[in-house]
Amino acid sequence: MCPNRPEGAEPDPSPAARTRAEALALALRQATASVGGRGALLHRWDPGAGRLTLVAADGSAAGAARAWSELREEQDVPPACALRRGVLVRTAGDCLGTGAAGTVAVPLVGAGGPIGALSVLLSGPDGPDDVQRSFLHAVAAWAAGYLERPAGPPYPEYEPEHEKTVRAVELTAALAEAVTVQDVVRAVAEHVLAPFGAEGLIVSVFENGRLTRVGEVGYPLDYLKRFEGPLNAGLPVTDVLRSRKPLFLESPAQIYERYPAVVDRILMGTSPKMAWAFLPLVASGRAIGVSILSYSRPRTFDEADRALLTTLSALVGQALERARLYDLEHARAQELQSALLPRTLPRLPAAVAAARYLPAGRGEQVGGDWFDVIPLSADRVAMVIGDVMGHGIAEAATMGRLRTAVRTLADLDMAPDELLGHLNDLVSDLGEDFYATCLYAVYDPVGRSCRYSLAGHPPPVFVYPDGTVHSPVVSPDPPLGAATPPFAAHELPLPDGSLVVLCTDGLIESAAQDVEQGLTELLRVLSAAGPARLTGTDPEEDVRVLEKLCDTVVSALVPDREHTTDDAALLIAHTHAMAPDDVASFRLPDDPRAAGQARELVRDQLTHWGLDDLSTTTELLVSELVGNVIRHAKGPLRLRLLRSRILTCEVYDGSLSTPRIRHATYNDEGGRGLQLVAALSRRWGARYLSDTKCIWTEQDIPNGSGDRTSPHWSRPPEPASSMLQS
């Protein structure tokens, strides 16, 4: 919006006047935007008449400009007060009837003293802060220069000076929006180098007695190393940081004269420069770094250049300090989030997986996306993915709590719908502002099926061995924290070698497409990729294939990661069914003879599998488990043995009672059976079906002799101790 001319003023069509009006319009817009204001006004002071005359207005202030079109010097209004006192003035209240919460006014000071005032109408009760005050003073200085400039034909240097001013105003706006240190460096490079004719830029921060580069333009790497390291006496940057005053070296002669010991360091090499502007970056009263502009030719810095560069360096210093604090906090938040995500995914006989976590390219805080692969009993595998709504450290911490809760509940062998019910209670207890989406799926390699439940989450995608891609159409339950259990349970058969693809909405939803469109695109990408060339026997090779597929999906669905505003997670698992010969199931009589029959069946089956070394221990385990059922539970009884990288022994009964380890005393004749089970097995536990219970144990197979096809399977990390008290 161009500034409005006061009523009755004659338009001046001259190019110089139009150029000045455009510059003032830009200055007023930036002044308004910098404090989140409602509008701005610019007054010129006429010392002879003792009046302030409105020359430009912007925003909502333009509609109320008539009330302040002419002001007497002695009036008790912000522009006049700022002019008289020569300092920034802030007043509360709506002076012009625009709905403003207050007004801030800054005096315009020219070569001979005060020449006017810049006023901004504030939207809220707070502000301006130190950065905004510096910005307003800088805008006022530029506006004063334009008001003092003659209205006749422009001088030859007028256009370059105009470009500097416009670029300086643009720089202040860019710095106000800069979030990271790299944002600050880019803003300086874009808005300072060209207007001031510089070819090189170095921005360095000073901490722990050393200079560290954070950004540069126009230098080869080997040359930049000369401007890093500890500060020593006799260096230009040392003097600038200690004095907090800028240093301008206009020619090699000046460099020889003032710093003869470092001439070779500065002038020689692959990128020699002939003039320098060393600008201190000051924030909170201390020097935090230095910005160095360099020129390939000798250059004269006039007073206007020096004043403008000094002012800009102050703004850059404050923006850099703010950006460094953001980068530090953001890095810590990302470290927290990374620490809460699994560092590696287990490679299990029934599934190997690869995953990608993509932090938002834009946005101020980390998110709460997470994923996990959890080994369960009977070689089953749980795959989980979730997203805590919102961004920030609190959401990342909540993500960690949910992931821990999921692993704990999964260790109890809960069904997906039951697990989400408990997780919903946890999220509800966190407060009304916490919500999360989640998908929990369990793959059974014996039954070759996948059972899952989802709470407000995108559905899973399945890629079958023939390349067919399928995403079941289901009605998702509401997100965790907003849902009312029970959750729906879904189950479908899954052929051997199928892929399970899980993702968060950040992967398939963006400003350009909704979730349904993104899901359609995901299906298209997976279909175009064709059947994955997976061995099913070499985990290392299969993981490499899955990693490549993850990269393909991410590249297609998130091509411009730098401009994304939401985190995204992707998990792809390759399932591997258990061979029929690795499963042995037997029915047992519901009487005391069952224990003896179970020992005999175990002995014969382990001999068939070539696992005679485990026979004695397994017979003892199954005898105790079956005996426990005979004494404390009820039939029907069933025994199942599973062979993979471990030996699993399962005893099924018709009772839903919970097994509990007793602390038998010295004189007790019983009560030590489950203590013996816990001592002899790798781990043990119980899981509950609709009308039966299964007590299971796991034993390591010596030298992997029971895993005929996959000697490279890695042992998964030990889960937390079972919460079953049996």
Side-chain angles (χ1 to χ4, degrees), residues 551-600:
D551 291 336
T552 299
V553 172
V554 168
S555 298
L557 274 78
V558 193
D560 188 7
R561 289 178 54 186
E562 292 301 318
H563 293 84
T564 57
T565 57
D566 193 12
D567 293 9
L570 171 68
L571 175 68
I572 302 180
H574 176 234
T575 60
H576 182 62
M578 186 172 290
D581 189 47
D582 290 329
V583 182
S585 183
F586 312 96
R587 290 193 176 276
L588 299 174
D590 189 12
D591 58 50
R593 295 175 301 166
Q597 288 189 16
R599 288 193 296 270
E600 183 177 350

Side-chain angles (χ1 to χ4, degrees), residues 681-697:
S681 60
R682 177 179 182 269
R683 67 171 187 162
W684 73 281
R687 67 177 183 271
Y688 301 87
L689 308 177
S690 59
D691 56 354
T692 61
K693 173 178 86 265
C694 170
I695 307 176
W696 52 268
T697 66

